[in-house]
Amino acid sequence: MTDSVSTPGSNPRTRSFHLRVFGCQMNFYDGELIRGAFLRRGYREQAEATSADVVLFHTCSVREHAEERVHSLLAELRRHKKQHPEVVLGVVGCMAEREGRQLFEREPHVDLVCGTRHFPELPNHVDRVLGGEERVLELGEAPSAVDAPVRDLLGANGGHHAQVAVMRGCDLHCTFCIVPSVRGGVQSRPPAEILDECRRLVDHGVREISLLGQTIDAYGADLGRKGRRPGLAVLLDSLADVSGLERVRLITLHPSYCDRELVEAMARSPQFLRLLPIPLQSGSDSILKRMKRGYSMDLYRKRIDLLREHMPDLELVSDWIVGFPGESEADFEKSERAMEEFGFLQSYVFQYSPRPGTVATELADDVPAEVKKKRNQRLLALQHRIARQRTPRMVGESSRLLLEGPSERQPGHWFGRIQNGHFALLPEHSAYRPGQLHEVSLVGYNGRELEARLSPEAQAEFASLTKRRQTALGGLERSSIPDSFSV
Ligand code: SF4
């Protein structure tokens, strides 16, 4: 820890902060905003909590163990805080919003508890603690929106991939979910702000952007209605004009909001990654009803049919909860059949655990832990089998591969995702850079990834471009070849 820690109100430029983020992509996006807020105040970021003047945990509340993880880290810091009482210890985000004042009782060495809509003001709240205020608590609605109209990219992670939150909160009330009570209802960002942020990210070398929202296809529902609803379809169309932006991912859809207008926009988008997270959660209508998911298997089926009618090569990603209260063996087998019917490429399977603050806690948690564990393993094994059947079907096709980087598993190759999300390997070339998009032919499958080759046209173009560039630069090394080089 720096000896430069001075009395409250002194020059923060010498102060340091340590930020640890847990949970979903939205939390990691928020983490970038928090980092930016402290860097703008002249703080330095510290990798170690015990070396920082301000220690912040940006937390998740979706599952119990996520919260227990933070409590054990706080416990580890109890002695350090006793030895360094000037250190500011703060808990931010969903767990802070859910536990609120109780957190101070359970963790008396915590100085600051800040909910999901107050973190843009975090440096000010830290100053209040440094100013001598005890137990600073900020929860619920905030005076100003979380997302600043113009986000400077201070705090952004850099690299060719970035995330952009297009909305916050959720208007639905699935009985197992804590999100609506800790993040509130839907708040969409104005499209112009999002477009501006995406353009500036591309100017900073980003080539792939994941648009984030709990129910992203509900985007714009709360925005004024002059003419065409400024929904996700409009946003996707506008992003097509952002040159240099090679790929757009949508995270996460809800079947109830996925309408024809949006599906058609996805299909015509040159950038849309046809790997769609649209969680089903269960294949049983009676369980979907108890979850209050807001759709039946029949509606879900209609949505998937509509999506695949417009994008036959679309791949799907789902979340599943096994062992939800009342889930019988027959209900679970319906989930297995649904996983086979829709042929998901990827799935995240969770064993149900009651979350304080959710409606489902009123239901008896009657599925034994052993049964939940077995069902979890069965669904994961099935998903594995399905993915191994789906990927080799791409052999013989051509696609566009966005390079991620050199493959650790297959030295001499670079890896990336093709247009519908399957991973593929490309023999390396000195001019490759992360974020480059290449036309490829899919020539093989090694049991895990596809094997790709630059399409003949791409090879010819790539070779001539590399040659022209080397000639132009008088044979200088590859480092002179620009990043945004795609054929
Ligand atoms: S749709 Fe349901 S599971 Fe998803 S955030 Fe909203 S309430 Fe939670």
Side-chain angles (χ1 to χ4, degrees), residues 108-173:
H109 56 307
V110 166
D111 306 293
L112 168 62
V113 171
C114 176
T116 55
R117 282 149 280 185
H118 290 269
F119 58 71
E121 297 301 309
L122 261 175
N124 298 338
H125 301 323
V126 166
D127 281 350
R128 288 164 59 193
V129 175
L130 292 166
E133 202 177 321
E134 291 200 356
R135 297 187 161 188
V136 170
L137 180 69
E138 291 290 342
L139 303 176
E141 293 305 329
S144 58
V146 169
D147 298 291
V150 176
R151 172 192 164 199
D152 69 23
L153 301 181
L154 207 57
N157 279 340
H160 73 282
H161 179 262
Q163 311 183 100
V164 173
V166 299
M167 61 192 282
R168 292 174 181 277
C170 179
D171 289 342
L172 298 174
H173 295 282

Side-chain angles (χ1 to χ4, degrees), residues 420-433:
N420 61 354
H422 295 272
F423 281 110
L425 297 169
L426 198 58
E428 73 178 353
H429 188 287
S430 60
Y432 286 164
R433 296 288 185 287

Side-chain angles (χ1 to χ4, degrees), residues 170 172-174 176-177 179-180 214-215 254 281 293:
C170 179
L172 298 174
H173 295 282
C174 304
F176 56 82
C177 184
V179 171
Q214 313 286 351
T215 53
H254 189 281
Q281 301 290 4
R293 282 292 286 165

